[in-house]
């Protein structure tokens, strides 16, 4: 997903129009940073989305899952995923949401990435910290993304991005805000 080539054609469906894009095999071999996920990440996400423990247990292939006993995932979507998606609940009020993410350095022993944000009109995006410095391979770093979005008319969508830019890698994540 992060090593894709993006079509720059104008499309009212923005980020949803081209999906994951075209895979670039040479970039996929060395992506720079990865967002690790495990089964528990998905279970926490589904619990947060309101699915019942019995529904999730069927998907996970276990006998029982009790969502109330799990430590909830952090951030707005409780999922360590390379994309950020905010569905506005109001067409009248500004919405502010925090996403929490963790990346793993798979590039070089010493790697430094600086955040570059492209925010669409009506959306403020901040990243903390703005620099991720890695001193070893497989080192993990956490960051948070705060999205403050003005109301949108129903059915409208805007998109921006966060790019972690290093000497040899650019790790881009789409940020989509929409009003269902």
């Amino acid at each position: 997903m992060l090593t894709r080539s993006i079509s720059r054609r104008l499309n009212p469906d923005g980020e949803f129009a081209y999906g994951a894009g075209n895979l670039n095999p040479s970039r996929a071999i060395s992506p720079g940073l990865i967002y690790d996920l495990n089964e528990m990440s998905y279970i926490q996400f589904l619990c947060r989305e309101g699915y019942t423990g019995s529904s999730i247990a069927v998907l996970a292939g276990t006998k029982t899952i009790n969502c109330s006993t799990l430590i909830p995932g952090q951030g707005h979507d409780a999922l360590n995923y390379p994309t950020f998606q905010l569905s506005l609940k109001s067409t009248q009020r500004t919405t502010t949401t925090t996403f929490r993410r963790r990346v793993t350095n798979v590039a070089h022993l010493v790697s430094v990435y600086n955040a570059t944000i492209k925010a669409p009109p009506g959306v403020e995006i901040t990243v903390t910290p703005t620099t991720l410095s890695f001193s070893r391979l497989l080192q993990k770093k956490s960051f948070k993304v705060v999205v403050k979005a003005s109301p949108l008319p129903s059915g409208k969508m805007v998109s921006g991005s966060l790019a972690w830019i290093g000497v040899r890698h650019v790790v881009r994540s789409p940020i989509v805000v929409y009003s269902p």
Side-chain angles (χ1 to χ4, degrees):
M1 181 183 299
L2 298 176
T3 61
R4 67 186 175 165
S5 298
I6 300 170
S7 170
R8 291 286 175 206
R9 284 178 255 156
L10 292 177
N11 190 308
D13 292 328
E15 297 290 345
F16 295 125
Y18 49 79
N22 296 318
L23 178 67
N24 180 329
S26 62
R27 287 177 59 199
I29 291 170
S30 178
L33 300 174
I34 59 170
Y35 291 74
D36 286 326
L37 284 169
N38 59 29
E39 184 179 354
M40 185 53 68
S41 300
Y42 287 106
I43 290 170
Q44 290 170 313
F45 169 74
L46 292 171
C47 285
R48 186 173 183 122
E49 289 294 303
Y51 288 88
T52 64
S54 57
S55 298
I56 300 168
V58 171
L59 289 172
T62 63
K63 290 185 180 184
T64 59
I65 291 176
N66 185 346
C67 289
S68 65
T69 63
L70 295 177
I71 297 170
Q74 294 187 345
H76 169 71
D77 55 5
L79 193 61
N80 192 42
Y81 205 65
T83 62
F84 304 86
Q85 169 176 287
L86 174 58
S87 174
L88 301 177
K89 302 299 181 209
S90 171
T91 57
Q92 306 297 318
R93 293 189 319 265
T94 298
T95 302
T96 302
T97 299
T98 301
F99 296 90
R100 298 190 184 280
R101 298 294 192 262
R102 186 176 177 131
V103 291
T104 303
N105 175 32
V106 294
H108 303 280
L109 294 177
V110 176
S111 298
V112 176
Y113 293 87
N114 293 301
T116 299
I117 300 165
K118 291 185 180 176
V123 179
E124 292 176 36
I125 302 169
T126 57
V127 178
T128 307
T130 57
T131 300
L132 299 176
S133 297
F134 297 93
S135 57
R136 64 188 189 318
L137 206 55
L138 303 180
Q139 184 177 6
K140 297 177 184 301
K141 294 283 182 172
S142 296
F143 63 94
K144 74 177 181 175
V145 177
V146 177
V147 179
K148 182 178 180 182
S150 299
L152 291 172
S154 185
K156 177 89 169 137
M157 180 189 65
V158 294
S159 62
S161 65
L162 161 64
W164 289 106
I165 300 175
V167 173
R168 296 184 181 116
H169 298 90
V170 175
V171 181
R172 183 188 170 279
S173 293
I175 301 171
V176 177
V177 178
Y178 62 96
S179 182

